Amino acid sequence: MKQNKGFFAHVFLTGLLIFVFFGKLIPDINNLYFSRDGDGFRTYFGMYYHAKFDTSYHRLDGMNYPFGEMIDFTDCQPPVSNFIQFVSKHIVDISGYTTGIVNGTMLFSIFLASIFLFLIFRKLKLPNWFASAVSICIVFLSPQIHRMGGHFSLGWMFWIPLSIYLLMLFDDKKSYWISLLVGISAFLAGAMHFYMLAFWLFLFAPYWLFRWVMKADYKFSWKDLIHVFIQIVLPFILLEINLIVNDDVVDRTANPWGFYTYRGHFAAVFLPLFKWYIPFSNNLSFAQKFDWEAFSYIGIVASVGFFLLTIRWIKGVIKLRKMTSITGNKILDYLLAISFLVLLFSFGVPFIFGLDKLRSFLGPLGQLRGVARFGWMFFYVINIIVFYLIYNKLFLGKKGFVGKIITFSLLSVFAFEAWVYSGGYQNNLNNRIPELENENDHFYQSLAALNIDTSKYQAILPLPYFHIGSESSWIDNRCDIMKHSFILSMKTGIPNVGMMGARTSILQSYKNIELVRTPWVKYRVIDEYPNNKPLLLTVAKCDELNTDEKRLVENASLITTTPNFDLYQMPLDSLRAIPAKYNFPQHYSDLTDSIKSHISEGKTDCFFESNGNLNCGTEKLKGIKVSNDFQRILETSMTFDMSKKVYIRFWVKDYVKDMVVRTPLLIIQDKTNHELLEEKYTDIWRHIRSFNGDWALVEIVLEPKQEDEIVKLLFKNSILDGQDFYFDEFSVSQKEF
C-alpha cells in the first residue's frame, strides 16, 4: 500500500511539473506549432496529409509528386499517423486534431519517461522520495527535450528508459511474456524512428553476449535463442519486411551525409558548455566547433561521478589485477559498459582514426548519420548509476548527517541544471500559424472570389523549388515557400512536388529537379504524371528564383496573388513545349569552344586522361580512376575579360549513381607563374545545370582575379576510390549559357 502511495504521488508530481514547465502549451495545444518550419513543420504537414488524404497506410503521397514516399522515410511517426488515419476513415474524423495529437504525445512521453525511471529506481530498492526526485530531474535535463522543437519522433523520450526497465525485469526473470513486451516495444520504437530501434539493438544484443561469455554463474540454454529471436530478430525482420514489401525504390543512398558532422564530443557530453551560470564556457575555442547535434550534456553531478567511478575502478583493477565491479550490481555494470561503448561510437570511434572504410561493415547502422544521438543512452544510464551510488554510499553510508547534507546538495545542483535547461523552453514551442487557423484570410477569400476549382490541378510546384532528402542533391527551402506550399496542400489536398524527407530515390529526385534546371530535350517527369491536369505553381514573392524557375513562370498564366505568394497555372502542354521552344542544345553547341562530343552530336567520343590531356581519338570513352586524393582533370591558361564571369563547364556520367555528384571538387585560380590567387572547395551537385540521358552538365561560375590566369580543376572521392569516373567536353569560357 505504501509503495502504491509513493507511485501515485510520483505520478501526480510529474504531471504537476509538466504543467509548470509546459503549461502555456496545454490549453490550446491543437493550434500551437512547436516548430513553424523545417523538419518539425514537415512532420505536421505529413501526418495531417497522410491522415486526411492518403489511401495507403504505407505511403505519403503529399510530397515528391508524382512518386510519393514511404511514410517511414518522412519522420511522420507511422504508428501515430496510421492510427489517426484509421480512426478518421472508419470511426470518426479526427484528422483535424493531428497537431494536438503530435504535440500532446510528445509531452506525454515526458510523463512516461519519468514513470519508467521511477520504476527503475524502485527496482534498485531506492525509496520513493529519492526515486521520484531523481527521475524528474533526469527527464527535464534530457537532451531529448530540445528535440521537441523539430525532430518530433526523437522527442519521444520514454523509449530508452522503457528499454532499460524491461532489460532489468528480464535479467531478474527470464519470462517469455517479458520477451514479448521487449519485442513489441522494439517494433513500435523502430516504426516510430529507426534510431530508436538501434537503441534497442545496442542494449539487448550485447546483453546476451554478456550473459553467455562474461557471467561465470550463468549457463547457456538453447531456450535463450527463443528469447533472442523474440527480443531482437523478430522486430528487425518485421520492420525489414515492411520496407521490402512496400518500398519499390532501389536507389536510396547507402552513404548518408553527416556521419562526421553530426557526431558527439567528449566536452559536449561532460562539460556545461554555453550555460549562463558558467560564462567562461562560451569562450572556449574548441566549443565553437561543435554542431548542435553533439550536445548531450549529462549534468555536472553525473560528470564528476563518472570520473570518480572510473578512477576507483582503475585503482581496483591495478590492485587486484583482475576485472572488478564498478557499481556492485551486475546489471548496472553491464549498462554502464555498453552505454559507454555506445557513447564512444557516438564520438565516431573508431572511424575517426582513419578507419572510415570499416563503416561499410555496419550494415543498417551505417544509414544512421546523426551518431551523436547515441550518447543519449549514456545520459540516462550514468545518471541512474551515479544517483544510485550517491544514495547507497552517501545517504546510507558511514558519513551520517554529513552524507545526507551532501546528498541533498547534489540533488539541488541536479534540479537547478534541469530547471535551467527546460524552465523556459516552452516559449520556444509556443508558436502559431495564422493561415492554419483563419479560413477567411486573403488567400482563401481570393480562391472563393475567383471560384478556383482546386480539383483541376494535379500537383503544386513550389518556386523557388526545395528538395531535401536524397542526399545526392540539397535544395534548401527559400522565401518560406515550404511552409506556404505545404499549407496549400493541407487546405486543398493537392500533392506537392517539393520534398523534405530522408533517403529519397536519387533518380526520382533528379526527375523532379530537372523541372527547375535548364531543359535539354524534355522534362522526363511529365511521362510519370497520371493525367494531363495542369500544375499549380506557387511562386514566392522574393528575388531568389533562378533563371530556369523564372522561365516556368513566364510560360504560365497568373491565377491570383496573395501577400506571400502568387498562383500560376501551368498546362502540361506548355511545359512540354519549353525545351523545343528554347533549343538549349543548339545554344550550348554554338557558345562552347570545346570539341563536339557524343553528348551533343552523337559522333565523337572524347575523354580526359589522368594526366590532364583531352583525348579526342577514336577510342571509346575512358574513365579516370577515382582516388582518395585530389587529382587534376583540367588545367588551362586563359586571358579574361575582367568585366565578365568565368564559366567552367563539363559533363559527368552516371549522375544518378550513388555518390557520383557528391564528389568533392577543388577549383584553383593561379597566376601565370602558378602563384595561388584563390582556391575553392565545392561539390558537383551544387553546380548541375542540365541533364541529357545518363549525363549531367556541370557549370561552375567564377570571378576572374586578373586578366591572365591558370584555371585548374581537381576531384576526389573516398567512397568511390578505385572506380571509374567519366567526364567529357570540358570548356572554360566567358560566354553565358
Side-chain angles (χ1 to χ4, degrees):
M1 189 69 177
K2 185 178 179 181
Q3 296 300 326
N4 290 339
K5 287 182 179 179
F7 176 79
F8 289 119
H10 176 69
V11 168
F12 174 77
L13 184 58
T14 299
L16 178 63
L17 288 174
I18 289 175
F19 187 81
V20 170
F21 279 81
F22 298 102
K24 293 180 182 178
L25 310 176
I26 296 173
D28 200 20
I29 200 166
N30 196 50
N31 289 313
L32 295 180
Y33 294 84
F34 290 2
S35 175
R36 298 181 71 254
D37 50 28
D39 292 338
F41 188 72
R42 177 273 315 274
T43 299
Y44 285 126
F45 159 72
M47 292 184 68
Y48 176 82
Y49 193 98
H50 184 66
K52 185 75 174 178
F53 301 109
D54 280 341
T55 57
S56 167
Y57 288 108
H58 304 289
R59 301 194 62 81
L60 172 63
D61 291 325
M63 292 189 287
N64 197 39
Y65 184 85
F67 310 104
E69 181 55 285
M70 279 282 292
I71 192 170
D72 307 74
F73 292 98
T74 60
D75 197 28
C76 286
Q77 305 178 10
V80 179
S81 53
N82 281 331
F83 170 79
I84 300 172
Q85 185 190 102
F86 178 84
V87 173
S88 296
K89 293 188 174 176
H90 299 286
I91 303 175
V92 60
D93 187 2
I94 60 171
S95 60
Y97 298 96
T98 298
T99 298
I101 294 172
V102 172
N103 297 337
T105 50
M106 277 191 284
L107 294 180
F108 188 62
S109 77
I110 302 174
F111 176 82
L112 290 178
S114 179
I115 298 303
F116 287 120
L117 286 166
F118 177 84
L119 293 175
I120 289 170
F121 284 118
R122 289 298 302 133
K123 188 154 189 61
L124 293 171
K125 303 189 184 321
L126 299 186
N128 290 329
W129 68 269
F130 190 84
S132 182
V134 178
S135 299
I136 289 171
C137 289
I138 289 176
V139 295
F140 287 114
L141 187 62
S142 170
Q144 290 183 264
I145 282 277
H146 284 197
R147 295 297 170 149
M148 294 196 303
H151 296 159
F152 297 159
S153 297
L154 297 175
W156 279 45
M157 69 170 64
F158 76 89
W159 292 119
I160 299 175
L162 171 61
S163 65
I164 294 171
Y165 179 62
L166 289 177
L167 182 68
M168 294 175 72
L169 285 181
F170 183 80
D171 189 66
D172 275 352
K173 182 181 180 182
K174 287 199 306 177
S175 163
Y176 290 115
W177 286 110
I178 297 175
S179 284
L180 186 60
L181 283 176
V182 171
I184 293 172
S185 300
F187 174 79
L188 291 174
M192 281 291 294
H193 204 293
F194 292 137
Y195 280 91
M196 295 306 174
L197 178 64
F199 279 115
W200 287 80
L201 292 176
F202 275 136
L203 195 60
F204 280 88
Y207 168 77
W208 286 101
L209 182 65
F210 172 76
R211 292 194 73 148
W212 293 335
V213 178
M214 302 299 293
K215 293 186 69 172
D217 60 343
Y218 181 81
K219 294 183 179 180
F220 170 79
S221 168
W222 288 107
K223 293 181 179 179
D224 290 347
L225 296 181
I226 301 176
H227 291 292
V228 172
F229 179 79
I230 296 172
Q231 295 174 3
I232 301 170
V233 179
L234 185 59
F236 186 80
I237 289 176
L238 292 176
L239 290 168
E240 282 295 308
I241 288 174
N242 171 56
L243 293 179
I244 292 170
V245 171
N246 298 299
D247 186 16
D248 58 357
V249 172
V250 296
D251 63 339
R252 301 188 190 277
T253 183
N255 302 279
W257 179 85
F259 185 90
Y260 295 105
T261 301
Y262 300 136
R263 63 184 180 90
H265 192 278
F266 173 89
V269 171
F270 292 100
L271 299 181
L273 302 175
F274 301 102
K275 307 297 184 185
W276 62 264
Y277 51 89
I278 306 181
F280 68 85
S281 69
N282 297 359
N283 301 319
L284 297 174
S285 58
F286 63 82
Q288 310 299 325
K289 301 176 182 179
F290 303 147
D291 183 87
W292 70 274
E293 286 265 13
F295 290 91
S296 297
Y297 176 54
I298 62 175
I300 194 65
V301 177
S303 293
V304 174
F306 172 74
F307 288 110
L308 291 177
L309 281 173
T310 303
I311 293 170
R312 190 183 71 172
W313 178 74
I314 292 173
K315 286 182 178 179
V317 171
I318 294 174
K319 182 178 180 180
L320 300 176
R321 296 184 179 180
K322 66 177 183 178
M323 299 295 287
T324 62
S325 173
I326 195 170
T327 68
N329 181 302
K330 289 184 178 180
I331 191 63
L332 291 184
D333 283 344
Y334 166 74
L335 288 170
L336 181 57
I338 195 61
S339 66
F340 182 69
L341 291 175
V342 174
L343 178 68
L344 294 179
F345 176 72
S346 79
F347 295 165
V349 176
F351 314 102
I352 55 176
F353 301 125
L355 301 173
D356 183 70
K357 290 187 177 180
L358 288 178
R359 284 202 294 143
S360 61
F361 297 101
L362 289 179
L365 287 177
Q367 285 285 305
L368 304 179
R369 59 183 174 184
V371 290
R373 300 164 186 175
F374 292 120
W376 300 348
M377 182 189 293
F378 183 75
F379 166 83
Y380 291 104
V381 168
I382 193 60
N383 276 293
I384 290 169
I385 290 173
V386 166
F387 281 95
Y388 165 78
L389 293 174
I390 284 173
Y391 183 81
N392 284 287
K393 302 296 182 181
L394 287 177
F395 192 87
L396 298 181
K398 297 179 181 180
K399 297 186 182 295
F401 181 74
V402 174
K404 291 177 172 56
I405 293 296
I406 295 173
T407 299
F408 282 112
S409 298
L410 295 176
L411 274 176
S412 298
V413 171
F414 197 25
F416 170 75
E417 289 198 300
W419 172 76
V420 169
Y421 188 73
S422 295
Y425 190 59
Q426 64 177 326
N427 296 325
N428 298 71
L429 308 178
N430 195 359
N431 306 298
R432 303 189 83 95
I433 300 179
E435 298 93 327
L436 287 170
E437 297 182 48
N438 185 5
E439 294 288 347
N440 297 315
D441 64 16
H442 178 76
F443 168 63
Y444 294 106
Q445 288 177 347
S446 299
L447 282 182
L450 292 173
N451 194 28
I452 297 175
D453 184 358
T454 55
S455 66
K456 292 182 178 179
Y457 299 93
Q458 66 174 300
I460 294 168
L461 176 59
L463 300 176
Y465 183 62
F466 63 92
H467 196 291
I468 301 171
S470 72
E471 305 289 331
S472 185
S473 191
W474 190 286
I475 304 177
D476 277 318
N477 169 42
R478 292 161 289 160
C479 310
D480 215 15
I481 192 61
M482 185 199 78
K483 184 183 77 173
H484 296 313
S485 66
F486 278 175
I487 290 175
L488 185 56
S489 287
M490 292 168 75
K491 291 295 185 180
T492 63
I494 305 175
N496 207 297
V497 179
M499 179 60 188
M500 194 169 185
R503 319 299 191 272
T504 311
S505 160
I506 298 174
L507 179 58
Q508 290 177 6
S509 298
Y510 279 112
K511 283 185 176 182
N512 273 331
I513 291 172
E514 193 172 34
L515 288 170
V516 291
R517 294 295 182 264
T518 302
W520 200 254
V521 177
K522 62 184 290 189
Y523 293 115
R524 292 170 297 169
V525 73
I526 297 178
D527 295 338
E528 308 280 353
Y529 290 161
N531 55 62
N532 206 42
K533 292 180 181 180
L535 299 179
L536 188 61
L537 305 190
T538 307
V539 185
K541 291 182 176 293
C542 66
D543 297 324
E544 297 192 39
L545 272 68
N546 65 33
T547 302
D548 300 299
E549 290 168 335
K550 291 177 180 177
R551 185 186 306 111
L552 293 177
V553 176
E554 291 168 1
N555 285 273
S557 56
L558 179 66
I559 301 173
T560 189
T561 183
T562 81
N564 297 314
F565 57 88
D566 297 328
L567 288 181
Y568 287 80
Q569 176 173 293
M570 170 60 80
L572 290 197
D573 289 341
S574 299
L575 189 61
R576 288 189 185 96
I578 289 177
K581 179 178 179 180
Y582 292 91
N583 196 5
F584 286 106
Q586 184 59 49
H587 180 45
Y588 179 77
S589 179
D590 292 340
L591 69 86
T592 182
D593 296 324
S594 299
I595 48 83
K596 302 291 190 296
S597 77
H598 71 286
I599 291 297
S600 56
E601 295 283 326
K603 296 179 180 178
T604 308
D605 288 322
C606 295
F607 62 93
F608 231 80
E609 297 177 329
S610 297
N611 60 11
N613 296 323
L614 188 64
N615 187 324
C616 296
T618 57
E619 302 176 63
K620 291 184 178 180
L621 191 69
K622 291 183 179 178
I624 303 175
K625 292 291 183 185
V626 184
S627 171
N628 193 31
D629 299 313
F630 277 112
Q631 57 180 314
R632 181 174 59 117
I633 52 174
L634 173 68
E635 181 173 340
T636 183
S637 301
M638 286 198 69
T639 300
F640 293 129
D641 180 344
M642 297 297 292
S643 65
K644 297 180 179 179
K645 295 179 179 180
V646 179
Y647 300 92
I648 301 177
R649 299 188 183 96
F650 59 92
W651 293 84
V652 61
K653 194 173 188 292
D654 296 328
Y655 65 92
V656 295
K657 180 181 176 182
D658 193 15
M659 290 302 300
V660 166
V661 295
R662 283 170 59 187
T663 295
L665 297 174
L666 172 59
I667 306 159
I668 298 176
Q669 292 172 261
D670 279 350
K671 295 180 180 179
T672 53
N673 63 357
H674 292 279
E675 182 181 342
L676 180 66
L677 290 169
E678 184 174 79
E679 64 180 23
K680 177 181 179 182
Y681 293 87
T682 185
D683 306 277
I684 287 177
W685 65 265
R686 300 179 189 275
H687 307 281
I688 293 178
R689 181 68 188 271
S690 188
F691 306 91
N692 185 22
D694 294 334
W695 295 81
L697 175 63
V698 179
E699 180 181 78
I700 301 170
V701 184
L702 303 175
E703 296 288 344
K705 304 302 176 185
Q706 62 180 38
E707 289 187 355
D708 295 312
E709 289 185 24
I710 297 175
V711 178
K712 301 176 184 177
L713 183 64
L714 301 91
F715 87 118
K716 70 173 182 177
N717 194 316
S718 59
I719 302 295
L720 301 180
D721 188 12
Q723 299 185 32
D724 286 333
F725 210 102
Y726 295 92
F727 298 105
D728 207 354
E729 197 170 291
F730 284 79
S731 69
V732 181
S733 72
Q734 292 192 276
K735 298 178 182 179
E736 290 188 42
F737 176 31

